[in-house]
Amino acid sequence: MNVTIRGHHITVTEAMNTAVHDKLTKIERHFDQIQSIQVILSLDNSGASDGGQKTHKAEAILRVSGQEMFVQALEDDMYKAINEMADKLDRQVRKYKTRLERNKVKGAGREARFGDIELEGAEPVA
């Protein structure tokens, strides 16, 4: 799994890097066919001049075969944003994996049901 972490208007510290990698390894345990994950950590100062809070944003783009998943989390603390982003990504990956497994079972069930049926009066195929 290829993980890229970038900072936008923020310097990515070693602690942030470690937090992201720790959270993403949990996601990899659920689904091992992940090609790459791109994480962007950013700081939004647009409301800071008005006395508003600075908003920390964590975004992730996860690529698997034939699919891209995007999640975004906004929090007042970067580590909270990273945790929320990882939780959202984990939910999407589990949902995707369940959908794949359900389609495999559905396809296998059809073959098992109709592949072994012999028609009455038909000669067996050698």
Side-chain angles (χ1 to χ4, degrees), residues 118-124:
E118 288 188 30
L119 298 175
E120 289 183 28
E123 294 183 22

Side-chain angles (χ1 to χ4, degrees), residues 32-83:
D32 60 350
Q33 298 174 359
I34 298 170
Q35 294 173 347
S36 68
I37 301 177
Q38 181 180 3
V39 178
I40 303 167
L41 306 175
S42 60
L43 184 62
D44 183 19
N45 290 327
S46 61
S49 62
D50 303 345
Q53 287 281 358
K54 294 182 180 181
T55 304
H56 297 270
K57 181 166 48 171
E59 300 172 314
I61 301 169
L62 181 136
R63 289 178 182 83
V64 293
S65 178
Q67 179 106 13
E68 261 188 17
M69 299 175 206
F70 175 80
V71 293
Q72 171 178 311
L74 297 166
E75 288 290 335
D76 58 343
D77 179 48
M78 182 56 77
Y79 296 101
K80 286 182 185 177
I82 291 170
N83 288 340

Side-chain angles (χ1 to χ4, degrees), residues 1 24 26-34 36-37 61-64 67-71 85-101:
M1 176 174 70
L24 295 181
K26 292 179 183 177
I27 293 170
E28 190 177 19
R29 273 189 258 145
H30 289 292
F31 191 65
D32 60 350
Q33 298 174 359
I34 298 170
S36 68
I37 301 177
I61 301 169
L62 181 136
R63 289 178 182 83
V64 293
Q67 179 106 13
E68 261 188 17
M69 299 175 206
F70 175 80
V71 293
M85 179 257 321
D87 290 343
K88 287 180 178 182
L89 196 58
D90 188 41
R91 279 193 297 274
Q92 280 195 16
V93 166
R94 282 188 286 139
K95 185 176 178 180
Y96 176 74
K97 183 179 175 183
T98 302
R99 196 176 320 129
L100 283 179
E101 289 172 352

